[in-house]
Amino acid sequence: MRERLQKIIAAAGLMARRKAEEAIREGRVTVNGVPAALGDSADPETDEIRLDGKPLPKEEAKRTVLLYKPRGVVTSLRDEKGRRDLRELLRDFPERLTPVGRLDLDSEGLLLLTNDGELEYLLTHPSHEVEKCYLTWVKGENIEAAVKRLHDPMEIDGYAIRPAKAELLEKLPGGAKIAVTIHEGRNRQVRKMCEIAGVTVTRLCRIREGFLRLGDLRPGQWRDLTAEEVERLRKEAAR
């Protein structure tokens, strides 16, 4: 069956669909020896598709994992600065799984990893918003005002951010624990929003993405998503 080249490359687990589109534009993809153009289709069963001169590997079984990323681990498969990265947590996986989105070095919690390029595309494309909830420990004086401010529209790094949902869970000495729910997931978004609201984040843990919850996993632990969960996640992201 003929499909768009970027979809075939993503299905092979080599890269996400957007990266595959870039590879096609750069002339790195050929079909039956002919350089491909963006928008071309092929049949992976009958056509010889090559990326950087190498034939595409046979499509491996799809796997999506929910991982509790520990604090102090970079969301990368190889860190140029020599910091702890995801390799140490994924060394026992035979598949090449890539992270879906990011959690910064100082944040922890729910992180999805997959070799399903199409699912990764759905979950990370700007037009497909998946709600994310974070337990957020903050320090500051006027906690109630900060929680109220988080419900207002904000601008971060030149972008208009949709209002968050914020709930005060517990007052603590010098601060509080709050739940913050956002949609966009821009770089360090919750930390920057809290700063605008007048409080400083001391700990940040993502506990939910869409309907998926971290549950009782501990840092470094993981579980496979069921086929039903993957299908539900796919439908939720495609809305």
Side-chain angles (χ1 to χ4, degrees):
M1 184 177 69
R2 297 185 67 82
E3 293 182 301
R4 291 291 179 92
L5 280 173
Q6 58 264 38
K7 186 174 181 180
I8 297 172
I9 295 170
L14 295 177
M15 58 184 65
R17 196 162 79 177
R18 280 178 289 176
K19 290 291 186 181
E21 291 172 354
E22 292 177 13
I24 295 170
R25 291 192 188 96
E26 293 166 358
R28 297 164 53 198
V29 179
T30 61
V31 179
N32 300 324
V34 179
L38 192 62
D40 285 355
S41 299
D43 187 334
E45 296 296 325
T46 59
D47 292 318
E48 183 187 65
I49 305 167
R50 290 178 175 260
L51 173 65
D52 295 329
K54 299 178 181 179
L56 296 188
K58 292 184 178 180
E59 185 176 342
E60 61 182 356
K62 297 294 185 291
R63 187 177 190 180
T64 302
V65 168
L66 190 159
L67 168 74
Y68 188 140
K69 184 195 88 69
R71 189 173 184 175
V73 173
V74 180
T75 307
S76 171
L77 298 175
R78 184 175 295 277
D79 183 60
E80 297 176 352
K81 298 180 180 179
R83 296 170 295 184
R84 295 177 64 199
D85 56 39
L86 293 173
R87 284 178 298 170
E88 67 178 76
L89 302 174
L90 302 177
R91 60 168 59 97
D92 294 330
F93 287 81
E95 304 90 352
R96 185 182 184 278
L97 303 178
T98 57
V100 180
R102 304 186 70 82
L103 274 174
D104 66 60
L105 177 68
D106 297 322
S107 297
E108 61 191 279
L110 192 158
L111 179 68
L112 294 177
L113 300 113
T114 189
N115 60 356
D116 186 335
E118 192 66 20
L119 179 63
E120 181 184 357
Y121 173 80
L122 284 173
L123 293 174
T124 58
H125 194 279
S127 65
H128 304 146
E129 295 183 351
V130 178
E131 194 173 74
K132 305 173 184 69
C133 182
Y134 299 78
L135 282 184
T136 311
W137 287 258
V138 299
K139 62 179 181 180
E141 295 182 0
N142 199 339
I143 299 299
E144 289 83 358
V147 172
K148 184 178 180 181
R149 178 71 177 89
L150 286 169
H151 287 88
D152 297 332
M154 293 183 180
E155 185 174 297
I156 295 177
D157 300 331
Y159 292 95
I161 302 299
R162 290 173 57 183
K165 299 174 185 175
E167 179 185 359
L168 176 59
L169 300 177
E170 181 183 0
K171 282 194 173 182
L172 302 170
K177 181 169 70 173
I178 60 179
V180 181
T181 303
I182 61 174
H183 296 83
E184 296 93 342
R186 295 190 176 276
N187 182 42
R188 299 176 71 85
Q189 180 175 332
V190 174
R191 295 179 185 275
K192 292 175 181 178
M193 293 175 71
C194 286
E195 184 177 346
I196 292 172
V199 292
T200 301
V201 174
T202 60
R203 183 183 174 190
L204 189 67
C205 180
R206 183 156 67 200
I207 59 171
R208 181 172 64 83
E209 184 166 346
F211 67 91
L212 293 172
R213 296 182 179 274
L214 191 60
D216 57 3
L217 291 179
R218 307 299 297 170
Q221 293 182 335
W222 57 270
R223 70 172 181 86
D224 282 293
L225 295 193
T226 66
E228 291 77 17
E229 286 176 322
V230 171
E231 185 59 26
R232 182 178 172 187
L233 193 61
R234 195 184 303 275
K235 290 178 179 179
E236 189 171 291
R239 288 175 184 171

